[in-house]
Amino acid sequence: MEQIFFFVFAAIALVAAVLLVAFRNPVYSALSLVAAFFALAGLFVLLNAYFLAVVQIIVYAGAIMVLFLFVIMLLNLGHSDTLERVAGKYRRVAVVLLAAALVAQLGFMAGRRWVGTPASGDAPLFTDNINAIGKMLYTRYLFPFEVVSLILLVALIGVMVMVKGDRESGGNQSRQAP
């Protein structure tokens, strides 16, 4: 039964990830990213990492995606012609580079498996992950945690400044009729 749930969650995550890059509308892409987050939370539940599953839903699917949607709505990226022109120009190069990276990573992982390197599943499962995550987050990884929060804050302030400057100058010049 566990394998069936694994394949269902993996298929949902895979389809959501493909739709994430396939949609032209950034709002639809963000919503498919939410679906991928929920599928990953289901995979965490299968690994008995319940805390990580809940954090995945609350923090990523909740808070981070609300921030992304807020920025998308604030910048009005849903109807940007400039965004499509720039994305279309470099799309083939990006697809080739990402495909090459994926093939290289799959080859590396397959090579490790055939060489006989011990898999991570052979190690005993550490079940007290809530205490360990909390201790590491607020001791060893406190500085990177705070740096990420400052980067998000600066990005949000930057978006506000950009939108305010755009509204004061009379709107987006590329969308005005000639």
Side-chain angles (χ1 to χ4, degrees):
M1 191 66 164
E2 236 179 71
Q3 287 182 341
I4 294 172
F5 281 121
F6 171 77
F7 287 117
V8 167
F9 287 134
I12 291 170
L14 187 65
V15 168
V18 168
L19 289 177
L20 172 71
V21 296
F23 283 133
R24 289 187 180 265
N25 190 338
V27 175
Y28 293 151
S29 293
L31 291 176
S32 65
L33 185 61
V34 169
F37 285 154
F38 275 101
L40 290 176
L43 291 172
F44 281 136
V45 167
L46 290 176
L47 290 171
N48 294 327
Y50 304 110
F51 177 72
L52 289 179
V54 170
V55 167
Q56 178 79 21
I57 291 172
I58 291 173
V59 173
Y60 289 109
I64 300 296
M65 286 314 300
V66 166
L67 181 67
F68 283 177
L69 287 173
F70 176 70
V71 169
I72 288 169
M73 299 292 184
L74 197 60
L75 289 177
N76 196 14
L77 291 178
H79 302 290
S80 177
D81 297 331
T82 308
L83 182 67
E84 288 182 19
R85 271 188 272 128
V86 172
K89 186 187 274 189
Y90 301 108
R91 185 174 291 154
R92 286 191 180 159
V93 174
V95 166
V96 168
L97 289 175
L98 290 174
L102 177 66
V103 168
Q105 185 178 14
L106 288 174
F108 176 73
M109 294 306 290
R112 284 186 55 170
R113 181 119 174 131
W114 293 111
V115 171
T117 319
S120 63
D122 296 339
L125 181 64
F126 183 65
T127 57
D128 191 22
N129 60 4
I130 298 173
N131 292 335
I133 289 171
K135 187 180 285 186
M136 291 190 70
L137 182 63
Y138 291 113
T139 56
R140 184 174 179 188
Y141 295 108
L142 180 64
F143 183 69
F145 179 72
E146 293 298 328
V147 167
V148 167
S149 66
L150 285 175
I151 289 172
L152 287 173
L153 179 66
V154 167
L156 188 60
I157 291 171
V159 167
M160 294 289 204
V161 168
M162 286 174 51
V163 169
K164 184 178 178 186
D166 188 40
R167 287 186 181 159
E168 287 177 357
S169 68
N172 192 351
Q173 302 298 329
S174 66
R175 282 187 267 147
Q176 291 180 351

